[in-house]
Amino acid sequence: MNRRTVLKRTGIAAVAAVSPFPALFSGASNLLTTNTGSFRFKVGDLQLWTVTDGHALFKPAQPIFAPDVRPDAINDLLKENFLAEGAVDIAFNVLVLQKDKELILFDTGCGINFGPESGKLPDNLRNAGIHPTDVTAILLTHGHPDHIGGLLDKDGNQVFPKAAVYIAAPEYNFWMKGEPDFSKSKFPDKNATAAWVKLARTNLAAYQDRLHLFNDGDVLFGCIKTRIVPGHTPGHTITEIHSGDEVLLHMGDTAHDHVILLAHPEWGVGFDTDFDQAARARRKVLTELAERRVGVFAFHLPWPGLGHVRRSGAGFEWVERAIATP
Ligand SMILES: [Zn+2]
């Protein structure tokens, strides 16, 4: 009984007032969502959910995606994968993990910062039977606005008033201390990066009394192994969730789409703070995922963000987890 609803964009003007990316979204929406917006599954004995915060359509795809690549090459690849030319539609998938009395979110989605097609996490959590006050911990993969924007509501109040917030020490230092360096990024809009910094400082400061910094290799809650993989941001974190023999690897923002950056990790994306370092890190992590054949969760890959990575030619491809029932 999954009534599917087409959510229509309600106008770019409302978005422009609050979005750090006012000029980047365009085109009609094709967002489909189920009534619940969540998918429940297990890793070993652990209960997990993936909960959608929404999506963002980048049209045109360039210059954010593959900024130095010929448009023909991108369009050929999109076409070959049965996708619309000149556009990339990215998901915002939030992982939720229950361990004993802990209810842990991995990132918080966009909040009010990216317009009406995102910021749906609180409603979709409630639909899954989880009230925001039930959340005891939030593990931030990094400090970009689509990951920390959901910490505060439109009035500046904490959305998760009982939650402790965990973030990698180098990530915290990057945003909060001195002037963040975007000189190795290919992001075209300096006003936008200034807005990211402002948002990170506001949102992290709001949780200062319950903020915990972790370092590379720290294990949180006895089941989450953290690994700092710099490039996308200086403290960008991927995590491994363990239970018994089973593992799920949350790859964070290793890739922002399931075609362009998997097939050509070096084509890169403007969001990366250090474009070249991120490209190398992307190839290295994808190589590891393919060799280990480990289950993967991805924040930006198509809903519900679960699958595997395998080699394909000189690059990789995303193999979505086959789900027989919702
Ligand atoms: Zn992101």
Side-chain angles (χ1 to χ4, degrees), residues 142 146-147 232 253 256 299-300:
H142 61 297
D146 50 328
H147 299 259
H232 181 55
D253 276 15
H256 290 70
F299 185 86
H300 286 301

